[in-house]
Amino acid sequence: MIEKGVLLREGNDICIPLLWREKELLLYTSDGYTNKCWRLPKEFCGLRVKEILSLSTVNPDQILNSILLSNESITLSLKKQKALIIVFDG
């Protein structure tokens, strides 16, 4: 699924903005992935990660330490059937 040129869903992996919240992304994977790069929606470009909220048993601090954030993308790894919300500062 692509919205405004940004991939939001690939197979069973999703990275979608929470439209009812400001500057938050929901990420979920059913199979897990390593070093997956998601292009950020335009309104998230240039922002910093403020907080990670776990919706499963994943340790948010481990994820925060492994995130690579560029001006236009975010790269991270998630184990299978994990979900989290990334809150951006801005």
Side-chain angles (χ1 to χ4, degrees):
M1 177 168 63
I2 298 174
E3 175 71 28
K4 297 179 183 175
V6 176
L7 181 67
L8 302 177
R9 179 180 176 179
E10 183 175 48
N12 292 323
D13 300 334
I14 63 168
C15 178
I16 57 173
L18 297 178
L19 300 177
W20 59 94
R21 307 278 298 189
E22 190 172 329
K23 306 290 190 251
E24 294 184 17
L25 290 176
L26 170 67
L27 291 101
Y28 170 79
T29 180
S30 64
D31 300 324
Y33 53 76
T34 302
N35 294 325
K36 185 170 184 83
C37 182
W38 292 98
R39 185 170 168 212
L40 293 171
K42 189 170 88 171
E43 59 270 16
F44 289 83
C45 291
L47 300 179
R48 296 178 301 141
V49 173
K50 177 180 177 182
E51 183 178 15
I52 295 180
L53 307 171
S54 176
L55 302 178
S56 51
T57 57
V58 66
N59 181 341
D61 291 333
Q62 289 177 334
I63 299 294
L64 185 60
N65 292 332
S66 68
I67 286 179
L68 286 173
L69 185 65
S70 75
N71 191 39
E72 297 181 354
S73 66
I74 187 166
T75 303
L76 69 155
S77 301
L78 283 178
K79 293 185 179 178
K80 65 180 182 175
Q81 297 186 2
K82 300 300 179 191
L84 54 91
I85 293 174
I86 299 179
V87 181
F88 287 81
D89 194 10

